[in-house]
Amino acid sequence: MASTGPPQSLKRSDTSLTREGDQLIITPLGAGNEVGRSCVYVSYKGKTILFDCGIHPAYSGMAALPYFDEIDPSTIDVLLVTHFHLDHAASLPYFLEKTTFKGRVFMTHATKAIYKLLLSDYVKVSKFQLKICYMMNKTFFAPWIKLRVIDFHQTLEVNGIRFWCYTAGHVLGAAMFMVDIAGVRVLYTGDYSCEEDRHLRAAEIPQFSPDICIIESTYGVQLHQPRNVREKRFTDVIHSTISQGGHVLIPAFALRRAQELLLILDEYWSNHPELHNIPIYYASPLAKRCMAVYQTYSNSMNERIRNQFANSNAFDFKHISPLNSIENFNDVGPSVVMASPSGLQSGLSRQLFEMWFSDKKNACYTWVHYISFSAHADFAQTSTFLKELMPPNIIPVHGEANEMGRLKQKLITQFAYRNTNYFPKELSVG
């Protein structure tokens, strides 16, 4: 079924590369010059791959889907999902059940475990119109039997397509996929981060260069502050607010940076005995359920966490307690609450915001203090990654059109000494 929504000019035209008389076609069905509904179609020598299958959070109903009407789903051999976030994976049930797709789907073990919890929660709470499409199927989770798992660095082959994956950072289980069709290699990074944080490894650099690199460009030419600077700003504002008797509200996605922020807070409280009587709560039933998955796949995390798990559970927080509802919240004295949703549109984060924001002693990190703990690559990471990889063809995706254009120009300047092709040659944004 066709999706409708933004103007057609937001869609990127096909990128075609010719190799020995055969045409390799790459078509972004989403996230071509936007952030949302990541989905990239690749076809070469009669073999077809789809990378990711997300939704666009800014649109509703069928308009949020990738442009599936641009392709014939029955021709796709393999669908590779990089990670569990909705903008990369939420249209997968629709694609499996409502289209002619007959191929195979792969994701990492951790991605599959968290994705099932995340999507189940999403269907329950979302007013998104696709919920109706999903629930029309009596067995909503029937597609789960079609999902296969892949280990990092494991090489698999389906219908002559060889593929394997590398650690991408970003979130637990996130992978970047390398695909080999008849000797032509395509690397799809998905969302990635080359910076190790408190629990995740940094993205790996593949040991050999691909012929084509399809790379995220979320931050374009922007640079992140050093992580230690961001952490200090974060804890300084919290400590200052608590010292004045105020409340701190941290609206956060249940499964984006919540686990990272909880690790920072628990360590900071442990190092400051004067704060031990100040409660910290995280209010997300989904985050609580997913903690068990994080514990199960601790071996996929960085060395710091793996060493800690040898003696204790890194996610068994000493100073942080779950909060199920506002009725269970004893609002007496200063406190810190991390609550979802991050957009404050509803739920506990919205309720606490309305309770607290009128008091100048309180702090809300969405409105009063913005500190980015994004796990996307910035320009420094992107340029270093590409310098190491040296792909002859680069295709940016997952970025706002103007930001992608600036990134392209800066890369052309930085790598002027290399014979590198950048696609598309132009972006249509009007």
Side-chain angles (χ1 to χ4, degrees), residues 148-213:
R148 309 292 181 92
V149 291
I150 182 171
D151 293 319
F152 291 106
H153 309 134
Q154 177 186 10
T155 299
L156 297 177
E157 183 168 346
V158 175
N159 196 23
I161 302 170
R162 296 175 64 245
F163 56 94
W164 56 98
C165 62
Y166 302 95
T167 298
H170 189 60
V171 292
L172 179 64
M176 53 178 72
F177 281 95
M178 184 80 81
V179 172
D180 185 314
I181 305 175
V184 175
R185 296 192 185 110
V186 178
L187 177 69
Y188 178 76
T189 67
D191 293 351
Y192 77 104
S193 173
C194 294
E195 180 181 57
E196 181 173 312
D197 60 22
R198 287 176 176 264
H199 71 296
L200 295 174
R201 301 174 183 174
E204 296 178 86
I205 305 290
Q207 68 269 38
F208 41 72
S209 176
D211 297 284
I212 303 160
C213 181

Side-chain angles (χ1 to χ4, degrees), residues 409-428:
Q409 292 305 315
K410 195 161 185 177
L411 289 174
I412 289 173
T413 301
Q414 181 167 338
F415 299 129
Y417 60 93
R418 283 169 31 188
N419 184 24
T420 303
N421 298 308
Y422 298 88
F423 296 92
K425 300 299 183 183
E426 295 181 357
L427 285 173
S428 173

Side-chain angles (χ1 to χ4, degrees), residues 204-224:
E204 296 178 86
I205 305 290
Q207 68 269 38
F208 41 72
S209 176
D211 297 284
I212 303 160
C213 181
I214 306 172
I215 189 168
E216 80 144 306
S217 55
T218 311
Y219 278 88
V221 298
Q222 299 177 55
L223 297 173
H224 297 320

Side-chain angles (χ1 to χ4, degrees), residues 50-62:
L50 200 64
F51 293 111
D52 281 337
C53 201
I55 60 165
H56 199 305
Y59 303 107
S60 61
M62 303 302 291

Side-chain angles (χ1 to χ4, degrees), residues 232-242 248 363 365 369:
K232 187 174 188 307
R233 286 179 58 208
F234 179 63
T235 53
D236 281 355
V237 172
I238 290 175
H239 202 145
S240 174
T241 302
I242 293 299
V248 177
Y365 269 89
H369 302 279

Side-chain angles (χ1 to χ4, degrees), residues 81 92 96 105-107 112 115 143-149:
V81 177
L92 183 58
L96 295 182
V105 184
F106 291 88
M107 57 184 67
K112 183 178 181 181
Y115 177 57
W144 241 252
I145 63 173
K146 300 179 183 179
L147 304 188
R148 309 292 181 92
V149 291

